[in-house]
Every structure is written in C-alpha cells, then in structure tokens.
Amino acid sequence: MFGKINSRNRRNSGGVRALRAQALVEFSIALPVLLMLLIGIMEVSRMLFMYASVVNSSRDAVRYASAYGRSEDLGDGNLLKYKYCDGIAATAKASGFFLNLQDTDIAITYDTGPGGSSLGSCPPATTTGEASVNVDTGDRVTVTVSAQYNPMLSLLPLPSRTFTSTSSRTILGVLDLDN
C-alpha cells in the first residue's frame, strides 16, 4: 500500500513542478505589460494633475487681480490689488505650488475687453510693485500661466509639452474712496 502512494506522489510531484514552471513563465511574460500599464496610469495622472494645476493657478490669480481693494499681503495696504503684480504672481504660485512656477511663467496684461486695445502689462520677469496702468470699470485683466511637463520615465512615448492657461476677468466697481 505504501508503495502505491510513493509512486503516485512521484508522478504528481513532476506535474506540480511543471505547473510551477509554467506559472513562472506566464508571470515573467505578463509582468512587463502590467508594469508598463501601471507606470502609464501614474504618468498620465501626473500630466492631468499638472494641467489642472495650471488652469487653477491662472483662475485664482485672475480672481485676485479682478478684486478691488488694497492688498494686505506684505502689510503694505497702499497697493491696489488689481495693479499689484507681486500679489497676483504670488497667488498664482501659491495655487500651483506643485508646478514650481517662476515669474517668467506668469504674464499679467490689461485691456479694454475682447478685441479692445491693450492698456499695459506687468513687466515680464519682474513682478514688484504696481503696474503702471490706468484701469477703469469694465476693463479687463488677463493672467496667463505656463508650465512645462516632462515625463519622469522615458519608458512610454509621452513627449514633453507646455501647458498654458489664460484666464480673464472684468474689473467691476473701480471707486476711489479716499476722497
């Protein structure tokens, strides 16, 4: 009786080894595909997050720029929010903290509306002080934010690209309350 069990175990043990080897081969074939899929999902998610951050950054900055009032950012209450270039850029940088935005990535311009004439802009790459522009009720401020996307791994054919978002808002209620 013991002899039959031993011979049966020998035949099954060879089959188990063959099944284990087959599973190992199948796993080694499927693993690269699964890893590429996982890396692809993470990379596309990172790209979408970066795009959403650029859009939110320009929206928050233009929302700050369209507000009437005095800035409280640096304790200097003498600067008008809609002309305070450093405050507008700081709002864009705070909203897009993941993007590591620089002053050259943020453009702030003023105009009289769609198809209207340009009133001026904050000097490029410098955002200190107020913009030297005269803005009235109904004029518009536009903030453009750009960020460069570079894939972390070059396993997938995702190219580098620049995400740019432009947001505009009309300035309402410019009143001089000092008089």
Side-chain angles (χ1 to χ4, degrees):
M1 180 161 184
F2 291 113
K4 290 181 182 179
I5 293 174
N6 287 338
S7 64
R8 187 182 309 159
N9 284 343
R10 281 187 211 143
R11 278 184 286 172
N12 287 340
S13 66
V16 170
R17 284 186 197 142
L19 289 176
R20 286 183 186 165
Q22 180 184 356
L24 185 62
V25 169
E26 288 176 358
F27 181 71
S28 65
I29 292 171
L31 182 64
V33 174
L34 293 174
L35 287 177
M36 290 288 282
L37 186 64
L38 180 65
I39 290 170
I41 289 171
M42 290 181 352
E43 204 57 55
V44 169
S45 299
R46 187 174 153 266
M47 183 172 47
L48 288 173
F49 178 76
M50 184 174 243
Y51 172 76
S53 295
V54 168
V55 171
N56 287 336
S57 177
S58 70
R59 284 183 187 166
D60 288 346
V62 82
R63 187 177 301 119
Y64 176 90
S66 69
Y68 186 76
R70 305 253 179 214
S71 66
E72 299 117 12
D73 292 345
L74 303 173
D76 186 4
N78 294 330
L79 300 174
L80 297 171
K81 279 186 177 182
Y82 63 90
K83 294 168 74 173
Y84 182 34
C85 298
D86 194 32
I88 297 168
T91 302
K93 289 176 187 177
S95 180
F97 65 92
F98 176 74
L99 303 172
N100 194 20
L101 294 172
Q102 305 301 315
D103 290 337
T104 55
D105 299 328
I106 303 165
I108 305 162
T109 59
Y110 301 89
D111 59 29
T112 58
S117 61
S118 175
L119 297 174
S121 65
C122 289
T126 58
T127 56
T128 56
E130 285 186 328
S132 58
V133 61
N134 292 324
V135 179
D136 290 325
T137 299
D139 290 339
R140 187 170 75 151
V141 61
T142 301
V143 177
T144 302
V145 176
S146 299
Q148 182 72 24
Y149 165 76
N150 294 315
M152 291 175 69
L153 296 172
S154 61
L155 295 174
L156 300 173
L158 291 174
S160 297
R161 61 186 72 211
T162 301
F163 293 119
T164 303
S165 177
T166 302
S167 298
S168 300
R169 269 189 130 168
T170 303
I171 300 171
L172 297 174
V174 176
L175 303 171
D176 187 12
L177 300 175
D178 292 335
N179 294 333

